Every structure is written in structure tokens, then in C-alpha cells.
């Protein structure tokens, strides 16, 4: 396949910027809160700050149809994206002056604001990708964009965790704003191809995108599958950092094994995902990857029994992250190909919402579930969450005939 780097390379920078916010208010914030002395049940409730990632489809039509000032010269979606990025930077600075134990409520409010801007940036960039790239360029961009996600993840996790051992958490969050600046610069190297002004009314903004989506075959089953497929991986990931810390690993070990080494392995998985996308169909890939997710949950349960065994930790991270990288690439392309180009931002945001809403709502109970069940039973429970999705894959004959491109 031919790679048009001039078209897809700027999305590497945007991939970095898109991934950072959810990690800065997700796992990293949970680690900061845990270390500050906040109890485990309260820590789990911070999962609610990612709620905007579930609801972003509600304001996605504005990005698809409404022009901000300078949109005609800079680009509609690029202008929106710049607004979100500036909001994230301001939110990070505001959050950096707080203490999780003493200012938990205010910290959650600022984190929720960052979640809103981060989710909005993500949906806008997704729309830019789908609008501007076709065929092999979209497949290749997915690999490069996911690679950027890994860099953003590494910077917002391993990099920030390592810094927290040298400087204060407050300074860590101020420095993290620099990650978002990479996305700001990347916008200036993208030519927005779908920039014509379209009448903004209820019909064009809401009715048409969802009417078009409802033409998909076996719509109810398709939506059920999208809701269920990511529950296993998501519930496992929600409590990963508190689990590592609670089971006895040091911050340096977490940074080295999970964040640093894990990011490298995930990157390998992303490129493997790009390769297998050209060799196998979606049904085969998602079935096998889902089965391996169950085995990953069982491996985490074993680590809960074994305790802080660094060799087993490395082995599990290899197993988990290479599959996670492959699964992220495959899932992103699958959702992209379910979208019509003229409604890309709204439809992709809606599909992401179907994944995120149940995960976020269930995720708010993750700390309570882990506390009440114990780590071993909790990870077995996360594995069981995958079974309904695998059953749908095996039984459906039309689920993977809905791709638009």
C-alpha cells in the first residue's frame, strides 16, 4: 500500500493531542488521588469525569454544520478543534493548583471540563480524518493516528508518573499542557477538504445523520454489539493503576512496566493491527481479539493472587498491550467504515457514545466493585463481560455487512 505521508503525517500529532486528556483525567488522576490518601471508593467515582466522551454526539452536529469565526479561511473543523485544545490547556492549569484529598469536588469539576474539551477535540479530529482520507489512506492513517495515541498515552502516563517522582503533581499537570500544544501545531499542516457552508437547522444537523445511520442492516443488534464489545477491556483498564499500586508495585515499576514498556508493546500491536486488517475480515479479527481479552482478565486475576511479581507483570503487559494495540486499530477502522462521509463527526461520535456510555456508568462502580469483590473476583468479572459480545459475533450473519467504505 502507498502511504501519502503529507496527508496523514499531521494526524500523528493530533493523535498525540487527542489521547493525552483522557489519560490525564483518567488513570493518572486516579493514581494522584490514591497517592494523596483519597479512599478507594471515592477514587472510583472520578471515573465519571470521562462522561463527556459518552455524550459528545449531542453537540457533534454543531461541529459538522456551524462555522466559527475564521472558519472560512482556516477550516470549520480545524477552528472547532483549536477552541477545544485551548480549553484543555486552560483546564490543566486550573486543575494543577488543587489537592485531590482537600479539593476533591473542585478537582472533579475541572477534570470534567477537561473531559468535555478532550471529548470534543477527539470527535472533531475523527471527523477530519474521515472527511479528508479515503481507502488505503484511511487504513494507514488509523495506524499512524493510533501510533500518535500511544505517544500521547506514554507522555501522559509514564512521562508524567516519572516526573511526579521528581517534581510535584501540580507541576506535572502544568507541564502536561505542552502535549496539547503538539496538536495545536499539527492543525496548521492539514488542509480541510470538506469546508463548504451547509444550512444549519434541525433537519440537517440531527434528522439526516441519524436517518442515514438507521439504514444499517440489523440496527438493534449492531448497536448492542458496539455497546457490549468494549466493556471487558474498559472495566479492566479503569482500575489498572490503582490495582498496580495496591498490589504492591512502586511508582517507578508502574512507570517502567505498564506505561513505558507497555506503550512500546502497544505500538507493536498497532502496526500488527494494520497488517491483519489487510489479511482478515472484521468478524474473524474481533472474535479472536475478544477471546484473548478474556484470557487477559484471567491473567490479571492471577497477578492479584501472586502479588508484586515483576516477571509476571512484564508477561501480562506484553500479552495485554499487544492485543490492545491490535484491537484499537481494528475497532477504530470498523467504526470509521460504519460512518457516511457527509455526517462523519456526528455518526462517529454517536458510535463512540454507544461504547462509552455503559462503560462510564458501570465504571463509576469500579472502585466499589473492586473493594467489595476483591481484585481476583473483580478481574474474573471483567472477563465475563465479553461473553455476550462474542455470542453476537458468532450468531449474526449481517453484523459486518454495514460498512460504508
Amino acid at each position: 500500500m502507498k502511504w501519502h505521508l503529507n496527508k496523514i503525517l499531521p494526524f500523528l500529532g493530533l493523535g498525540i493531542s487527542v489521547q493525552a486528556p483522557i489519560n490525564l483525567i483518567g488513570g493518572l488522576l486516579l493514581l494522584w488521588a490514591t497517592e494523596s490518601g483519597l479512599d478507594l471508593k471515592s477514587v472510583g467515582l472520578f471515573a465519571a469525569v470521562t462522561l463527556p466522551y459518552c455524550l459528545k454526539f449531542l453537540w457533534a452536529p454543531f461541529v459538522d454544520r456551524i462555522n466559527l469565526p475564521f472558519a472560512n479561511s482556516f477550516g470549520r473543523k480545524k477552528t472547532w478543534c483549536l477552541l477545544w485544545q485551548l480549553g484543555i490547556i486552560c483546564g490543566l492549569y486550573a486543575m494543577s493548583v488543587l489537592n485531590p484529598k482537600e479539593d476533591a469536588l473542585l478537582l472533579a469539576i475541572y477534570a470534567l471540563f477537561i473531559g468535555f474539551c478532550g471529548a470534543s477535540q477527539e470527535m472533531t479530529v475523527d471527523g477530519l480524518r474521515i472527511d479528508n482520507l479515503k481507502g488505503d489512506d484511511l487504513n494507514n492513517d488509523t495506524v499512524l493516528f493510533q501510533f500518535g495515541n500511544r505517544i500521547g498515552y506514554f507522555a501522559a502516563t509514564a512521562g508524567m508518573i516519572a516526573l511526579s517522582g521528581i517534581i510535584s503533581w501540580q507541576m506535572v499537570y502544568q507541564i502536561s499542557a505542552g502535549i496539547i500544544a503538539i496538536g495545536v501545531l499539527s492543525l496548521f499542516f492539514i488542509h480541510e477538504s470538506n469546508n463548504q457552508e451547509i444550512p444549519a437547522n434541525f433537519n440537517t444537523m440531527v434528522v439526516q445523520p441519524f436517518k442515514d445511520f438507521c439504514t444499517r442492516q440489523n440496527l438493534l443488534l449492531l448497536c448492542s454489539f458496539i455497546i457490549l464489545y468494549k466493556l471487558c477491556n474498559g472495566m479492566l483498564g479503569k482500575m489498572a493503576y490503582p490495582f498496580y499500586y495496591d498490589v504492591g508495585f512502586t511508582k517507578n515499576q508502574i512507570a517502567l512496566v505498564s506505561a513505558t514498556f507497555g506503550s512500546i508493546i502497544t505500538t507493536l500491536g498497532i502496526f500488527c493491527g494494520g497488517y491483519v486488517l489487510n489479511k482478515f475480515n472484521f468478524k474473524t479479527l474481533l472474535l479472536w481479539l475478544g477471546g484473548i481479552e478474556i484470557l487477559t482478565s484471567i491473567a490479571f486475576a492471577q497477578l492479584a493472587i501472586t502479588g508484586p511479581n515483576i516477571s509476571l507483570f512484564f508477561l501480562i503487559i506484553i500479552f495485554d498491550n499487544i492485543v490492545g494495540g491490535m484491537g484499537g486499530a481494528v475497532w477504530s477502522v470498523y467504526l470509521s467504515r460504519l460512518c457516511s462521509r457527509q455526517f462523519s463527526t456526528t455518526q462517529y461520535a454517536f458510535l463512540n457514545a454507544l461504547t462509552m456510555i455503559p462503560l462510564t456508568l458501570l465504571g463509576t462502580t469500579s472502585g466499589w466493585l473492586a473493594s467489595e469483590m476483591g481484585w481476583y473476583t473483580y478481574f474474573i468479572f471483567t472477563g465475563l463481560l465479553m461473553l455476550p459480545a462474542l455470542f453476537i459475533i458468532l450468531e449474526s450473519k449481517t453484523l459486518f455487512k454495514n460498512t460504508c467504505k
Side-chain angles (χ1 to χ4, degrees):
M1 290 187 297
K2 186 176 180 180
W3 289 58
H4 299 104
L5 291 179
N6 61 318
K7 292 179 65 176
I8 66 176
L9 195 57
F11 288 99
L12 173 66
L14 285 173
I16 296 171
S17 178
V18 161
Q19 185 63 32
I22 196 169
N23 287 288
L24 292 170
I25 63 170
L28 194 73
L29 180 58
L30 296 184
L31 179 60
W32 181 17
T34 301
E35 190 180 272
S36 72
L38 203 62
D39 65 275
L40 189 61
K41 293 180 180 180
S42 297
V43 167
L45 292 176
F46 270 94
V49 302
T50 60
L51 187 63
Y53 283 84
C54 306
L55 303 176
K56 59 188 177 182
F57 72 95
L58 294 176
W59 58 93
F62 292 93
V63 176
D64 259 339
R65 291 292 179 264
I66 293 180
N67 283 359
L68 293 176
F70 308 107
N72 290 331
S73 57
F74 190 58
R76 179 191 304 117
K77 290 176 182 175
K78 287 168 61 180
T79 307
W80 279 106
C81 194
L82 181 61
L83 176 67
W84 308 133
Q85 290 166 340
L86 295 177
I88 296 167
I89 291 172
C90 292
L92 288 171
Y93 273 97
M95 197 169 75
S96 70
V97 302
L98 303 178
N99 181 295
K101 190 173 183 180
E102 298 174 0
D103 307 301
L105 179 59
L106 189 56
L107 184 69
I109 293 172
Y110 285 147
L112 186 64
F113 173 74
I114 294 171
F116 170 77
C117 293
S120 302
Q121 178 195 209
E122 182 180 81
M123 74 174 184
T124 307
V125 172
D126 286 333
L128 271 173
R129 291 172 53 238
I130 297 170
D131 287 353
N132 286 24
L133 303 169
K134 301 178 182 179
D136 286 348
D137 278 342
L138 182 59
N139 286 346
N140 295 336
D141 166 73
T142 298
V143 174
L144 204 60
F145 184 73
Q146 292 279 325
F147 180 45
N149 285 169
R150 288 304 94 198
I151 297 174
Y153 171 80
F154 174 80
T157 52
M160 298 301 112
I161 292 171
L163 279 177
S164 72
I166 304 171
I167 60 178
S168 68
W169 279 106
Q170 285 75 15
M171 290 185 67
V172 164
Y173 271 86
Q174 291 172 11
I175 292 171
S176 68
I179 304 172
I180 311 303
I182 297 172
V184 173
L185 292 174
S186 298
L187 286 176
F188 291 89
F189 295 92
I190 295 173
H191 172 71
E192 187 171 343
S193 60
N194 186 20
N195 196 38
Q196 69 273 23
E197 191 164 359
I198 301 171
N201 54 57
F202 185 77
N203 182 55
T204 60
M205 294 175 64
V206 179
V207 176
Q208 289 183 15
F210 289 99
K211 183 178 179 180
D212 174 83
F213 183 75
C214 288
T215 62
R216 308 298 183 268
Q217 293 184 47
N218 216 336
L219 183 64
L220 182 59
L221 190 65
L222 173 65
C223 292
S224 299
F225 171 70
I226 293 170
I227 288 170
L228 294 168
Y229 189 76
K230 284 294 183 179
L231 285 180
C232 169
N233 179 265
M235 286 295 287
L236 187 152
K238 287 285 184 186
M239 296 302 293
Y241 280 123
F243 166 66
Y244 300 149
Y245 190 82
D246 193 51
V247 83
F249 293 110
T250 67
K251 285 201 299 180
N252 286 338
Q253 288 174 325
I254 296 170
L256 172 65
V257 181
S258 178
T260 307
F261 182 69
S263 289
I264 295 170
I265 297 300
T266 301
T267 301
L268 177 61
I270 290 168
F271 284 97
C272 289
Y275 175 78
V276 298
L277 274 167
N278 299 305
K279 299 294 182 181
F280 303 99
N281 59 43
F282 285 121
K283 181 173 183 177
T284 300
L285 289 172
L286 292 174
L287 180 63
W288 279 99
L289 290 170
I292 298 173
E293 290 278 8
I294 296 175
L295 297 179
T296 300
S297 292
I298 295 172
F300 269 86
Q302 180 60 43
L303 184 61
I305 295 174
T306 305
N309 183 314
I310 196 68
S311 298
L312 182 58
F313 193 17
F314 267 106
L315 185 62
I316 289 173
I317 291 300
I318 292 172
F319 189 63
D320 179 37
N321 287 42
I322 196 166
V323 173
M326 293 176 65
V330 172
W331 189 249
S332 179
V333 174
Y334 176 59
L335 294 187
S336 295
R337 293 186 181 277
L338 289 173
C339 300
S340 299
R341 195 176 302 275
Q342 63 268 38
F343 309 116
S344 57
T345 303
T346 303
Q347 290 185 352
Y348 197 92
F350 174 68
L351 292 173
N352 261 325
L354 288 181
T355 300
M356 292 292 294
I357 287 175
L359 178 56
T360 300
L361 293 177
L362 189 59
T364 59
T365 68
S366 58
W368 181 83
L369 288 171
S371 180
E372 295 297 318
M373 292 181 171
W375 289 117
Y376 176 84
T377 306
Y378 176 78
F379 288 121
I380 295 297
F381 166 73
T382 65
L384 294 175
L385 291 174
M386 176 59 76
L387 294 178
L390 296 187
F391 178 78
I392 291 175
I393 294 175
L394 289 170
E395 293 299 315
S396 175
K397 296 180 180 179
T398 62
L399 191 63
F400 300 99
K401 296 180 180 180
N402 285 299
T403 53
C404 295
K405 303 184 283 292

